[in-house]
Amino acid sequence: MGSLGLGRADSRHFKPLDPEEFRAQAHQMVDFIADYYEKIETYPVLSQAQPGDLRARLPESAPYRPEPLESILRDVRSCILPGMTHWLSPSFFAFFPATVSTAAFLGEMLCTSFNSVGFTWLASPAATELEMVVMDWLARMLKLPKSFMFAGTGGGVIQNTTSESILVTLVAARDRAFKAIGIESLRKLVVYGSDQTHSAFTKTCKLAGIHPCNIRSIPTSFHTQFALSHVLLRKVVEADVAAGLVPLYVCATVGTTSTAAVDPVEQLVDVANEYNMWLHVDAAYGGSACICPEFRRYLNGIERADSLSLSPHKWLLSCLDCCCLWVKRPGSLVRALSTNPEYLRNRPSESDSVVDYKDWQVGTGRRFKSLRLWLVLRSYGVANLQGHIRSDVRMAKLFEGLVKSDGRFEVVVPSLFALVCFRFVPRRRRVGPGKEDAMNRELLEWVNSTGRVYMTHTVVGGVYVLRFAVGATLTEERHVVAAWNLIKQGADSLLKSARYL
Amino acid sequence: MGSLGLGRADSRHFKPLDPEEFRAQAHQMVDFIADYYEKIETYPVLSQAQPGDLRARLPESAPYRPEPLESILRDVRSCILPGMTHWLSPSFFAFFPATVSTAAFLGEMLCTSFNSVGFTWLASPAATELEMVVMDWLARMLKLPKSFMFAGTGGGVIQNTTSESILVTLVAARDRAFKAIGIESLRKLVVYGSDQTHSAFTKTCKLAGIHPCNIRSIPTSFHTQFALSHVLLRKVVEADVAAGLVPLYVCATVGTTSTAAVDPVEQLVDVANEYNMWLHVDAAYGGSACICPEFRRYLNGIERADSLSLSPHKWLLSCLDCCCLWVKRPGSLVRALSTNPEYLRNRPSESDSVVDYKDWQVGTGRRFKSLRLWLVLRSYGVANLQGHIRSDVRMAKLFEGLVKSDGRFEVVVPSLFALVCFRFVPRRRRVGPGKEDAMNRELLEWVNSTGRVYMTHTVVGGVYVLRFAVGATLTEERHVVAAWNLIKQGADSLLKSARYL
């Protein structure tokens, strides 16, 4: 034994994954986190930190010697928590929520514990197949046609973000165009969204080499409640074709970021099909609601679209980052994204009998993310998830009702899903012209500065709008009502202020 | 109270993040995982599953009603585990390892529990600042110049994968070229790597719209131990310039995937600087070793490079996915990637006093990943991490020595870092010509089929090579020795087989 160094003395001294230490410390962390959730309402929702606060408190270099977990947890309490904007606070109504749940947390623990890399089927067979299974499960919950399912001729994949879902489908569409009309056509390819399409769309198109002049941002207005008009789309496409350009890709949104507007997929897909464009539906937020029959109509026409993405971390209690993408023709993705280096070759891949998810995404490595969705879907069941969506929608309606009941406020567009867009318009007071936006901004800043609620804003149709997005996992009606009371309190103070007389 | 629905009866019935249920179930999961680590050596390293095995065992639809955690854990044991390739097994020597540690696991738990989204500073101040801090810590451990640090004029960011690190820097370089010579130059831009550069490079270049004919894969050979020759690079660049093309970007690798070859950064950067190209160093695997002074020389010349990426999930005990990217000119990234939609606007961002990481990456959303690195660096300290790297290198040397001690085997290239490339060449037996590759393939398949060890292969210089990558967190010398004994056993059987006489 001696010369081969088999004795314990020659083996690793440093054991960073000792099962017993793991067990003890992970239990300690579970309690730390459960305590955090219990006390979460006591923290300011929006961090009251100033830029540089945390950096100033931490050392310039990593320690040379180990530090005990207790010191680290102490620093989490004293340095990190005060610098957090608490996305899981029940009084977080900003942006769209990022939901988490016990089941998602457990799934994430399992995923991390395996730390498997699923670039090919062989590298993690269960990771690949479970992802195929849960993507089909979710497709069934959404009543997607079989053409988007592995059980049919399509399939789904978990991406990190909507941006990546757009990037991979856009590149698939682009390369299909290259094949048809040559790679030199790049300069002529045109993509279409509305002025409400997420900013990720323009960014992604630029990443993919689409000429910035060929990225169309079609105007919307109050008239369509900020949905993309198929009539306008057709006009813009016709003009482009007349100018010798080549229509490539349309991004339709189900639940825009500003106002949760829904683009009319069924009508947009007519135009897309007519001009041989790829139609992608970005349902990052609104898609989750479509597991409820009463919302499913927003996906009407999906059977003629090319791809659909939806982020369960937004509204299906899965944690970040989890964007589900379904495509009708996986082959088009794989043709655009496949690589076949020798070091990843293996018999199952060569037999073409398996899915190698590396060819469905930007990167090579990938985690076992489907565990998280699998645990959520099984632990809660479709019934509870539908109930959860409906509960959020009901709370948003409650808030909308409260806004409507106060004559000093108006709802800017009828609330869709669980987002309420409203503003403070105290018409009975003589507010100076052009002062309304400033008043709303001031109201928002005051509300957020209390630390008791966090909301955000947008501007649509030239108007500054307050957004109240219900959906944080822990939110209950009492938090919605308390938020409304706080907003009213802010409004009262503003009206008393001399500035707006 | 009644009409506002403040009573408990009107509040949420379904509580997917109840702190007490969370506490109980997360403790249960901790024990499940600790038990898994304790028993991990009893599982076949490479899954023995056949394509479709798991899919056939799971239902076609998600359940309508909730299922208890016990049923799910039972299915993890009976369905998922048999389908896993156990990346954390101490006998996993395939690809490069994906390391995990208790500290990384705890950091990941915290990250998931906050579920914060750090697109802008304000959305999660501590998440942004802690990332800045740990990126500077790691930069100091690597002795990077201040030009790559926030403490200087540069900075770092955590990406998911090397592909994204290449994509964002490539696009920054591309857009810088657009600014200098116009967007119509896209067709003329040329990028350079070697035939050993990771397949992600070619894929990423295509994503960014680089013409496939302009992606140079410069040949390497045994002569340079598969490192990219700066002499050849210069010749190829000169030819491209003479042809009217525009050199854009060089990807140098520190630790290639096939053989852990190290491209000579110091010499390549001369060529890159001369032709005003962006030089990116992909040190995904080898970079981690550079925290040890004896390996730091592989980064010599980095002070004149533009960017560097390194994946601590590979060798610094952080779990997937975690790719650290440093850039010398963050402004060039931000110019290429920034977006400024109204719904994300806020005072700190507009004051330009903060970092908004959404402008450093492909996607918009991002997790609080720096917690993981922070816990690893603090819990273990630089000393232990250096010791861990050295221990892996020592085990690889041990394995290399064993290979050399057996005349039937040869080491194909001198081992670098913790990878040994070798093959079975029983020259004393009259092996039929051209049979050696087949023998090695058969040997590899037999070894992997035992479930006791998982290794992979590559082909370099036209030769089929077995790769033995040490570095799984739990590996000790006894596993290395056992693997070697298994390989010898396979070789003995092969030699007894009539096929190769």
Side-chain angles (χ1 to χ4, degrees), chain B residues 55-357:
Chain B
R55 287 181 72 199
R57 296 186 65 175
L58 298 180
E60 283 200 338
S61 304
Y64 188 70
R65 297 287 172 205
E67 298 181 42
L69 181 56
E70 288 65 28
S71 311
I72 299 172
L73 290 179
R74 199 165 51 233
D75 287 348
V76 172
R77 272 190 213 95
S78 65
C79 301
I80 303 294
L81 286 180
M84 292 304 296
T85 292
H86 298 275
W87 282 69
L88 294 191
S89 165
S91 299
F92 182 96
F93 302 104
F95 310 112
F96 284 128
T99 56
V100 76
S101 60
T102 299
F105 192 93
L106 301 181
E108 188 65 11
M109 287 171 80
L110 262 186
C111 167
T112 307
S113 72
F114 290 133
N115 206 38
S116 62
V117 188
F119 32 60
T120 58
W121 177 87
L122 188 65
S124 295
T128 297
E129 295 197 20
L130 191 68
E131 188 158 332
M132 296 169 76
V133 167
V134 297
M135 290 302 294
D136 269 11
W137 282 11
L138 206 45
R140 281 203 170 84
M141 288 164 66
L142 293 163
K143 305 231 179 307
L144 296 187
K146 278 216 166 177
S147 54
F148 283 99
M149 294 167 60
F150 288 109
T153 49
V157 56
I158 302 177
Q159 307 279 341
N160 294 310
T161 60
T162 299
S163 305
E164 284 157 76
S165 293
I166 294 176
L167 181 56
V168 296
T169 51
L170 177 63
V171 167
R174 186 196 71 180
D175 286 8
R176 188 177 67 174
F178 285 168
K179 205 165 178 189
I181 54 173
I183 196 165
E184 305 303 333
S185 65
L186 178 56
R187 177 64 183 83
K188 292 184 180 175
L189 301 177
V190 191
V191 299
Y192 304 85
S194 83
D195 58 6
Q196 298 301 306
T197 306
H198 194 280
S199 59
F201 179 59
T202 300
K203 177 170 172 175
T204 304
C205 293
K206 286 185 194 161
L207 287 177
I210 302 295
H211 197 295
C213 297
N214 291 353
I215 303 171
R216 304 276 173 264
S217 175
I218 300 173
T220 61
S221 67
F222 279 102
H223 178 65
T224 60
Q225 283 171 21
F226 302 102
L228 172 56
S229 149
H230 66 287
V231 179
L232 267 185
L233 173 66
R234 182 180 295 276
K235 277 191 188 159
V236 176
V237 170
E238 282 171 356
D240 285 331
V241 171
L245 298 173
V246 179
L248 178 71
Y249 187 100
V250 183
C251 181
T253 308
V254 174
T256 61
T257 308
S258 273
T259 63
V262 176
D263 292 340
V265 174
E266 201 158 17
Q267 297 164 320
L268 297 173
V269 84
D270 286 338
V271 184
N273 287 357
E274 194 174 323
Y275 288 91
N276 197 28
M277 289 187 279
W278 185 295
L279 189 120
H280 177 74
V281 177
D282 165 10
Y285 170 63
S288 296
C290 300
I291 65 168
C292 301
E294 66 270 30
F295 288 108
R296 175 55 177 77
R297 67 177 186 281
Y298 293 131
L299 291 182
N300 283 356
I302 193 71
E303 63 284 356
R304 290 181 293 137
D306 296 278
S307 51
L308 165 70
S309 60
L310 173 171
S311 297
H313 63 242
K314 280 200 160 65
W315 209 0
L316 280 181
L317 301 174
S318 312
C319 48
L320 287 177
D321 22 22
C322 180
C323 176
C324 293
L325 168 69
W326 291 268
V327 291
K328 206 185 259 171
R329 278 173 293 270
S332 61
L333 273 196
V334 173
R335 271 189 296 279
L337 301 170
S338 75
T339 54
N340 191 18
E342 185 64 41
Y343 45 78
L344 296 183
R345 279 198 186 150
N346 62 81
R347 282 195 199 276
S349 296
E350 278 160 25
S351 73
D352 237 2
S353 61
V354 296
V355 165
D356 287 336
Y357 271 128

Side-chain angles (χ1 to χ4, degrees), chain A residues 360-415:
Chain A
W360 294 54
Q361 63 175 21
V362 173
T364 308
R366 65 198 323 271
R367 307 172 71 220
F368 194 168
K369 286 196 183 177
S370 53
L371 279 169
R372 207 195 287 166
L373 275 174
W374 188 55
L375 262 87
V376 167
L377 297 178
R378 292 189 66 183
S379 300
Y380 303 135
V382 176
N384 273 322
L385 294 171
Q386 289 174 334
H388 189 73
I389 296 274
R390 287 170 180 146
S391 156
D392 286 341
V393 173
R394 202 183 63 237
M395 286 193 275
K397 290 283 173 217
L398 165 68
F399 185 84
E400 189 182 29
L402 293 168
V403 171
K404 283 180 176 167
S405 73
D406 186 325
R408 303 170 301 172
F409 288 85
E410 70 175 15
V411 171
V412 177
V413 288
S415 102

Side-chain angles (χ1 to χ4, degrees), chain A residues 5 12 20 38 392 475 477, chain B residues 5 12 20 38 392 475 477:
Chain A
R12 283 187 197 263
E20 284 319 302
E38 274 174 357
D392 286 341
T475 303
E477 283 179 7
Chain B
R12 283 188 196 264
E20 284 319 301
E38 274 173 357
D392 285 342
T475 303
E477 283 179 7

